[in-house]
């Protein structure tokens, strides 16, 4: 039996900001941002949009796609570096109350842009150990509230959004999805790189762009090659590679190092920018919405981010 992704959802704020809409004081341009990052726009949360409200919206879509209700959830894991409160209560508890998922165990995971991968693996382990049926993983970020809007090296990169996924434990539900489900997972961390990307108490996001770039390319390369080697996969065995959507140059460089077709990699940072832990589930939800994902496809997911952290896995959709 397996842990299967049975529903996904995406929610972005109402306001879309294109590169040409950015403040002139940043002294940048659409051409420069696109050529260096692949980003053309991002969505920014308004005063009436919160981490909880965006997360609840994507979660309701995921639940609807899964065909279950919130009161059937056994577990909620929330990932975010921009929660509604500084420490307590957890964002997962706020989401539980908003959804009415009264029996769900709730906690948050902080692994920055690797958060969704960490959370999906953790959810799968708890579902199997406890014999639970359903888990919700929700990743939501409002990065526009922590970036320095006078720093053109960082503020142009980030956007806001939410992605959610519902996981089903087929051993507990008796469902038969064939060979579908979460496969091997991989995780890594390098605390020596903590100052490459950090947020001081009461401060704004700080990043050493070159250090993060070097780590990201090496980490994606290592994750994907390790997963493929462990499962004895060739490029023909992999339908899509869904990485954290930080920068098009990172993904292109990783594809080249791996000698894999760049066409296997999904790119959507042009529309959404870097949404940290939300980017992988948002991408999966978009792919499912537009029919790109088909049942039985083999997907590799890979995340990398502050910490420094990395994580990846194989999913049979």
């Amino acid at each position: 039996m397996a842990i299967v992704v049975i529903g996904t959802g995406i929610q972005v704020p109402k306001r879309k900001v294109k590169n040409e809409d950015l403040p002139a004081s940043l002294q940048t341009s659409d051409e420069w941002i696109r050529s260096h990052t692949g980003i053309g726009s991002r969505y920014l949360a308004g005063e009436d949009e919160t981490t909880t409200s965006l997360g609840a919206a994507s979660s309701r879509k995921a639940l609807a796609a899964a065909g279950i209700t919130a009161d059937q959830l056994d577990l909620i894991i929330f990932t975010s570096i921009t929660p509604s409160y500084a420490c307590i209560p957890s964002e997962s508890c706020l989401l539980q109350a908003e959804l009415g998922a009264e029996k769900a165990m709730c906690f948050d995971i902080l692994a920055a842009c690797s958060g969704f991968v960490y959370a999906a693996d953790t959810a799968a382990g708890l579902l199997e150990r406890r014999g639970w049926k359903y888990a919700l993983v929700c990743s939501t970020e409002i990065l526009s509230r922590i970036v320095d809007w006078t720093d053109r090296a960082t503020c142009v990169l980030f956007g806001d959004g939410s992605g959610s996924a519902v996981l089903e434990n087929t051993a507990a539900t008796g469902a038969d999805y064939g060979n579908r489900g979460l496969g091997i997972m991989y995780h890594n961390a390098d605390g020596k790189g903590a100052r490459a990307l950090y947020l001081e108490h009461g401060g704004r996001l700080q990043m050493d762009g070159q250090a993060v770039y070097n780590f990201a390319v090496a980490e994606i390369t290592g994750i994907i090659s390790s997963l493929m080697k462990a499962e004895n996969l060739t490029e023909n065995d992999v339908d899509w590679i869904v990485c954290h959507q930080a920068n098009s140059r990172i993904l292109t460089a990783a594809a080249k190092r791996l000698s894999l077709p760049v066409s296997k990699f999904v790119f959507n940072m042009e529309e959404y920018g870097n949404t940290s832990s939300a980017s992988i589930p948002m991408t999966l939800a978009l792919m499912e919405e537009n029919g790109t994902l088909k049942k039985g496809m083999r997907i590799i997911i890979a995340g990398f981010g502050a910490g420094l952290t990395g994580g990846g896995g194989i999913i049979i959709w």
Side-chain angles (χ1 to χ4, degrees):
M1 307 301 280
I3 306 299
V4 180
V5 179
I6 59 170
T8 59
I10 178 175
Q11 184 67 35
V12 295
K14 296 184 287 291
R15 181 188 174 205
K16 180 178 180 178
V17 177
K18 298 180 180 179
N19 289 340
E20 52 265 35
D21 299 327
L22 292 168
S25 59
L26 290 175
Q27 297 183 337
T28 188
S29 67
D30 176 64
E31 188 279 330
W32 189 94
I33 296 170
R34 286 180 182 272
S35 64
H36 285 74
T37 69
I39 295 169
S41 62
R42 72 285 296 147
Y43 291 80
L44 304 183
E47 292 184 2
D48 61 333
E49 294 170 309
T50 66
T51 303
T52 305
S53 68
L54 292 177
S58 73
S59 296
R60 290 188 178 104
K61 291 175 182 178
L63 289 166
I68 69 168
T69 55
D71 59 3
Q72 292 177 267
L73 290 172
D74 300 290
L75 173 66
I76 296 174
I77 302 179
F78 205 108
T79 77
S80 182
I81 62 171
T82 57
S84 298
Y85 290 87
C87 183
I88 53 175
S90 69
E91 195 66 42
S92 55
C93 283
L94 299 177
L95 180 62
Q96 181 209 46
E98 184 70 22
L99 296 177
E102 295 181 359
K103 72 171 186 174
M105 174 188 177
C106 301
F107 63 93
D108 295 357
I109 284 180
L110 179 58
C113 306
S114 308
F116 177 79
V117 184
Y118 276 48
D121 197 15
T122 302
L126 282 170
L127 288 176
E128 291 178 335
R129 178 176 173 81
R130 298 297 185 92
W132 289 337
K133 293 182 178 181
Y134 300 110
L136 171 68
V137 176
C138 179
S139 299
T140 306
E141 307 286 5
I142 301 185
L143 300 167
S144 61
R145 293 177 184 164
I146 64 169
V147 298
D148 180 354
W149 281 101
T150 67
D151 179 11
R152 66 179 179 181
T154 56
C155 71
V156 302
L157 305 176
F158 298 100
D160 305 334
S162 176
S164 294
V166 175
L167 308 182
E168 177 179 348
N169 180 1
T170 61
T173 61
D176 182 7
Y177 294 108
N179 68 342
R180 290 170 56 194
L182 273 63
I184 187 172
M185 305 291 284
Y186 170 94
H187 303 286
N188 182 46
D190 179 11
K192 297 188 299 297
R195 297 290 289 186
L197 184 56
Y198 65 95
L199 179 67
E200 299 278 13
H201 285 293
R204 295 295 173 182
L205 196 67
Q206 302 292 317
M207 182 174 70
D208 180 340
Q210 190 60 53
V212 171
Y213 176 89
N214 292 339
F215 170 78
V217 175
E219 190 67 10
I220 288 180
T221 304
I223 290 169
I224 296 172
S225 60
S226 295
L227 291 170
M228 293 182 69
K229 182 177 180 180
E231 293 293 295
N232 195 30
L233 302 176
T234 69
E235 68 176 70
N236 294 327
D237 299 315
V238 178
D239 294 289
W240 295 107
I241 300 173
V242 178
C243 298
H244 166 48
Q245 302 289 300
N247 186 312
S248 61
R249 285 184 168 184
I250 292 173
L251 303 192
T252 301
K256 184 176 181 179
R257 287 195 189 183
L258 290 162
S259 298
L260 290 173
V262 73
S263 59
K264 294 272 186 181
F265 288 72
V266 181
F267 293 76
N268 65 23
M269 71 282 293
E270 193 281 333
E271 175 76 4
Y272 300 99
N274 180 342
T275 55
S276 189
S277 71
S279 73
I280 291 177
M282 284 173 61
T283 303
L284 293 173
L286 287 165
M287 293 173 72
E288 191 157 45
E289 278 185 10
N290 64 29
T292 303
L293 279 181
K294 308 292 185 184
K295 303 308 179 188
M297 282 185 167
R298 182 179 281 106
I299 314 299
I300 291 179
I301 60 173
F304 53 89
L308 297 164
T309 62
I314 294 175
I315 306 174
I316 305 297
W317 203 254

